């Protein structure tokens, strides 16, 4: 069973919902909230691994004439007005389909870069590996954006004519995107190139603000031409980043996971470190939003 909605996290004793970010122990299959696993530091059933323990979901009794929640697909009593699992209002009395299976590694409904044509991460989607790193481990390490990236990582290796995944986030946010994804060397490269291409415009802006002498800037030959060339090259560079970002991010993910695996002695230590270091640097997103807002309101 890969749908954990209504099942209970054995650490915090709270039920999983469709919004829960769930990680699963690779040895026994016990599901945990990601933050619970990070706080505990290991699987809640670690002591039972030596016994060959395997987690099984609790059996659920059938509810006669049940109302199925339109949000989480939990079966509720026929006279219920609100879902007992997620609290959503029940608008229908007709029994609907159960929720489709979702990933045992990643079950969050919202993530960066997701588009409507990207399927959810299912067990089948996590099959296989790239450069000796499983897609399941990649999904754990990537975190909330796993559906988007696993989908494109796999398509990179297919012979699809004219196919090349494009990241609009990398195109529009350039250096911020790479910092958000912990790609520090790539971020430095982007900042340097972008600064060089924008140098003529920076000079004009500095002269207008009185930081440097306007006469010195006006004396630069063909400054308008340099500004035009810089603007065109900046647009071309952003398009390049859109196509370069996803293949480069896959290299970074594989490299990081292999380094983590080489630096841990046991499977549990490996998984704990993988979860601890997973996800992006979220403060970078807040800084990017602030900088963009500051630019438009100056």
């Amino acid at each position: 069973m890969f749908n954990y909605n209504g099942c209970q996290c054995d650490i915090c004793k709270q039920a999983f919902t469709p919004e829960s970010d769930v990680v699963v122990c690779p040895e026994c299959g016990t599901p945990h909230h990601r933050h619970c696993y990070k706080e505990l530091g290991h699987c809640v059933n670690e002591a039972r691994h030596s016994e060959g323990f395997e987690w099984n979901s609790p059996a659920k009794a059938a509810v006669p004439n049940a109302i199925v929640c339109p949000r989480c697909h939990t079966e509720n009593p026929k006279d219920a007005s609100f879902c007992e699992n997620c609290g959503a209002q029940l608008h229908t009395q007709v029994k609907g389909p159960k929720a489709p299976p979702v990933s045992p590694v990643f079950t969050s409904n919202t993530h960066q870069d997701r588009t409507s044509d990207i399927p959810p991460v299912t067990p089948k989607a996590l099959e296989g590996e790239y450069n000796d790193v499983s897609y399941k481990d990649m999904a754990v390490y990537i975190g909330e954006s796993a559906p988007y990236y696993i989908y494109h990582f796999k398509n990179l290796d297919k012979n699809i004519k004219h196919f090349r995944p494009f990241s609009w986030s990398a195109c529009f946010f350039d250096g911020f995107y790479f910092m958000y994804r912990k790609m520090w060397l790539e971020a430095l490269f982007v900042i340097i190139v972008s600064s060089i291409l924008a140098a003529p415009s920076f000079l004009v802006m500095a002269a207008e603000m009185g930081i440097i002498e306007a006469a010195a800037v006006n004396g630069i030959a063909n400054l308008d031409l340099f500004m035009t060339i810089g603007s065109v090259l900046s647009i071309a560079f952003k398009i390049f980043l859109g196509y370069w970002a996803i293949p480069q991010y896959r290299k970074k993910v594989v490299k990081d996971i292999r380094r983590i695996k080489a630096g841990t002695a046991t499977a549990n230590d490996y998984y704990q470190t993988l979860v601890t270091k997973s996800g992006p640097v979220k403060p970078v997103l807040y800084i990017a939003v602030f900088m963009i807002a500051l630019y438009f309101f100056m």
Side-chain angles (χ1 to χ4, degrees), residues 89-90 117 147 172 256 267 273:
Q89 187 172 1
L90 303 176
D117 61 334
F172 286 114
D256 287 354
T273 305

Side-chain angles (χ1 to χ4, degrees), residues 10-11 32 34-46 272:
D10 290 337
I11 299 177
H32 313 73
R34 184 179 294 271
H35 61 86
C36 292
Y37 190 96
K38 286 185 177 182
E39 291 177 3
L40 185 62
H42 56 79
C43 173
V44 68
N45 292 312
E46 180 182 14
Q272 176 187 344

Side-chain angles (χ1 to χ4, degrees), residues 225-247:
L225 177 62
F226 289 142
M227 288 179 61
T228 302
I229 293 174
S231 298
V232 173
L233 290 179
S234 293
I235 295 173
F237 185 58
K238 284 181 173 291
I239 295 174
F240 162 76
L241 293 179
Y243 285 111
W244 183 61
I246 293 176

Side-chain angles (χ1 to χ4, degrees), residues 170 173-195 237 240-241 244-245 248-249 252 281 284:
F173 295 102
D174 44 63
F176 288 112
Y177 168 85
F178 292 96
M179 287 188 285
Y180 183 72
R181 287 288 159 197
K182 302 178 183 176
M183 303 168 72
W184 306 113
L185 290 178
E186 291 84 351
L188 180 61
F189 163 72
V190 171
I191 292 172
I192 291 174
V193 173
S194 298
S195 298
F237 185 58
F240 162 76
L241 293 179
W244 183 61
Q248 198 66 17
Y249 184 51
K252 184 261 191 312
V281 184
V284 173

Side-chain angles (χ1 to χ4, degrees), residues 96-295:
K98 293 184 178 179
V102 292
S103 168
V105 175
F106 172 85
T107 60
S108 178
N109 284 342
T110 56
H111 52 84
Q112 183 206 24
D113 270 335
R114 185 167 184 175
T115 56
S116 59
D117 61 334
I118 303 300
V121 173
T122 62
K124 185 177 180 180
L126 294 174
E127 292 176 355
E129 60 181 30
Y130 175 77
N131 281 1
D132 299 324
V133 175
S134 70
Y135 287 109
K136 176 181 177 181
D137 289 353
M138 290 188 198
V140 174
Y141 183 74
I142 293 169
E144 294 183 351
S145 296
Y148 176 86
Y149 286 106
I150 295 299
Y151 172 78
H152 285 305
F153 286 177
K154 286 198 166 187
N155 281 334
L156 284 172
D157 296 325
K158 295 179 180 178
N159 294 321
I160 302 177
K161 188 176 182 180
H162 304 308
F163 178 86
R164 187 73 174 178
F166 187 85
S167 172
W168 290 100
S169 296
C171 178
F172 286 114
F173 295 102
D174 44 63
F176 288 112
Y177 168 85
F178 292 96
M179 287 188 285
Y180 183 72
R181 287 288 159 197
K182 302 178 183 176
M183 303 168 72
W184 306 113
L185 290 178
E186 291 84 351
L188 180 61
F189 163 72
V190 171
I191 292 172
I192 291 174
V193 173
S194 298
S195 298
I196 293 173
L197 296 177
S201 298
F202 285 154
L203 287 175
V204 173
M205 185 182 300
E208 292 176 350
M209 297 176 64
I211 299 175
I212 59 177
E213 291 292 334
V217 174
N218 293 332
I220 300 176
N222 299 318
L223 181 59
D224 290 341
L225 177 62
F226 289 142
M227 288 179 61
T228 302
I229 293 174
S231 298
V232 173
L233 290 179
S234 293
I235 295 173
F237 185 58
K238 284 181 173 291
I239 295 174
F240 162 76
L241 293 179
Y243 285 111
W244 183 61
I246 293 176
Q248 198 66 17
Y249 184 51
R250 183 174 68 168
K251 291 180 182 178
K252 184 261 191 312
V253 169
V254 169
K255 181 179 179 181
D256 287 354
I257 292 176
R258 295 178 76 171
R259 184 174 64 248
I260 292 171
K261 185 177 291 187
T264 50
T266 66
N268 191 71
D269 289 341
Y270 164 68
Y271 192 67
Q272 176 187 344
T273 305
L274 200 64
V275 173
T276 301
K277 294 184 178 295
S278 65
V281 184
K282 291 188 176 180
V284 173
L285 179 62
Y286 307 140
I287 295 173
V289 172
F290 173 77
M291 294 294 290
I292 293 172
L294 187 65
Y295 174 80

Side-chain angles (χ1 to χ4, degrees), residues 46-57:
E46 180 182 14
R48 305 174 65 184
H49 288 172
S50 59
E51 306 170 1
F53 169 78
E54 291 185 4
W55 182 86
N56 290 307
S57 61

